Amino acid sequence: MCIRDSTKDDDPQLVGDALPFILKLYEALLEENPQNIKLLLTTGSGFIMYANTFVHSEAEMLPPEEYERKEALTKRAKKLYLRGRDYLLKALEIKYPGFKRSLSENNFDQALNPVKKEDVPLLYWCAAGWFGAIAIDVFDLRLTIDLKKAEAIMERAYQLDPDFNNGAIHEFYIMYYSSLPEGMGGDKEKARYHFGKAVELTEGMSASPYIALATTLCIKNQDVEEFKELLNRALEIDPDANPENRLINIINQRKARWYLEHIEDFFLIE
């Protein structure tokens, strides 16, 4: 099994159990060929996908009484996000020597202007891993101080290929603009614009945009009716209708059911 093929599977537990072994194999291959850009991308994005889908998400759905396990999983997810990000930063440094130094000096134009459209996967996954780690631990000041770097990387990916991977960047911006306070860049209209684009690009066959908007903007606005409508729309999708995205849809539908079952945890319902 390779990571790309696993997205077609219909058994999340089977894939979740197998991925750590695959990722360790990739790391072993990197020891033999540390300059391999494609392998760095596959390894880095794999760690980030695994962290998000099988570690971070599990932590979010644990009951309050399992606080210690929740804390352990979130710490692990943070480490995995950063582990993946570092592989992607290494790949960008190999392709564009001086990239990491320019980024560390907040010279974003110098770091990112040379990057080409073909490198959008590196940019997207690097930023996604960075944001994932920041979202888990907003009190880690050494990490949150780098927020502008992650923002700049994702913005460059969006400039180069806004519709990358059937709207993956649009899905990110749904959560980004929905989650931030208005004074820090939050914008509900932009969130809804990106939601519309993500649904359009996936032809309504991905549960991800519906869950992204429901679990951010709807909760923020305490709009329980739209929350339920969006999650039910996610549940209406047939995972088999889009084999390339089958696994993610199955996992996201499980998440949608969990949110609907725990609706009182997120809304003030009389």
Side-chain angles (χ1 to χ4, degrees):
M1 176 189 290
C2 70
I3 290 176
R4 180 176 298 177
D5 289 339
S6 70
T7 62
K8 302 175 185 178
D9 209 292
D10 63 357
D11 190 328
Q13 183 175 347
L14 180 67
V15 174
D17 289 345
L19 279 178
F21 298 98
I22 297 171
L23 292 169
K24 288 303 295 179
L25 172 61
Y26 288 163
E27 287 191 315
L29 293 172
L30 276 172
E31 289 184 8
E32 301 297 323
N33 194 1
Q35 303 293 306
N36 189 312
I37 301 295
K38 289 184 179 180
L39 188 54
L40 285 165
L41 170 60
T42 301
T43 307
S45 61
F47 272 107
I48 292 162
M49 284 188 281
Y50 178 72
N52 179 262
T53 306
F54 296 102
V55 185
H56 192 180
S57 292
E58 181 182 347
E60 290 181 321
M61 292 188 285
L62 285 174
E65 57 268 24
E66 293 193 42
Y67 171 78
E68 290 184 358
R69 175 163 170 74
K70 182 184 183 76
E71 184 177 35
L73 283 173
T74 53
K75 287 181 178 179
R76 182 176 180 230
K78 177 184 173 183
K79 289 176 65 177
L80 291 169
Y81 278 133
L82 294 175
R83 189 166 174 171
R85 177 209 63 178
D86 289 346
Y87 282 122
L88 297 153
L89 283 173
K90 181 178 179 179
L92 287 162
E93 177 66 24
I94 291 169
K95 290 203 73 173
Y96 302 97
F99 178 90
K100 291 172 70 173
R101 184 183 63 190
S102 296
L103 198 66
S104 69
E105 296 172 351
N106 291 331
N107 193 340
F108 301 144
D109 287 343
Q110 184 172 320
L112 293 164
N113 283 352
V115 181
K116 301 177 178 63
K117 183 177 180 178
E118 66 188 48
D119 303 309
V120 166
L122 294 172
L123 295 173
Y124 169 78
W125 285 110
C126 179
W130 219 327
F131 275 110
I134 292 170
I136 278 182
D137 192 357
V138 296
F139 297 108
D140 184 343
L141 297 182
R142 291 178 299 177
L143 190 58
T144 55
I145 200 171
D146 287 337
L147 179 63
K148 292 296 182 183
K149 297 179 177 67
E151 289 174 335
I153 291 172
M154 188 65 82
E155 176 61 26
R156 182 58 175 156
Y158 183 67
Q159 290 171 356
L160 290 168
D161 188 3
D163 298 341
F164 164 73
N165 197 19
N166 295 322
I169 301 176
H170 291 293
E171 289 181 16
F172 164 79
Y173 278 124
I174 296 169
M175 295 180 286
Y176 177 82
Y177 286 118
S178 295
S179 301
L180 288 175
E182 289 187 9
M184 295 179 63
D187 189 320
K188 63 181 180 181
E189 296 305 321
K190 288 183 178 179
R192 290 191 182 279
Y193 165 78
H194 288 290
F195 169 74
K197 291 295 294 183
V199 171
E200 175 189 338
L201 289 165
T202 57
E203 298 181 343
M205 299 306 296
S206 172
S208 297
Y210 300 105
I211 294 173
L213 193 68
T215 58
T216 53
L217 191 62
C218 292
I219 293 176
K220 183 178 181 180
N221 292 341
Q222 287 294 285
D223 189 338
V224 67
E225 293 306 319
E226 186 180 26
F227 177 84
K228 291 189 288 187
E229 177 188 349
L230 289 167
L231 293 180
N232 281 315
R233 286 172 70 183
L235 290 171
E236 290 170 0
I237 294 168
D238 178 6
D240 292 328
N242 183 8
E244 295 293 327
N245 204 36
R246 183 185 287 119
L247 180 71
I248 299 301
N249 272 332
I250 290 171
I251 291 171
N252 278 331
Q253 288 180 333
R254 182 179 66 181
K255 186 182 295 186
R257 292 187 188 94
W258 183 88
Y259 272 101
L260 287 170
E261 291 168 0
H262 294 81
I263 198 167
E264 69 280 357
D265 294 341
F266 303 98
F267 294 90
L268 298 174
I269 300 175
E270 296 181 358

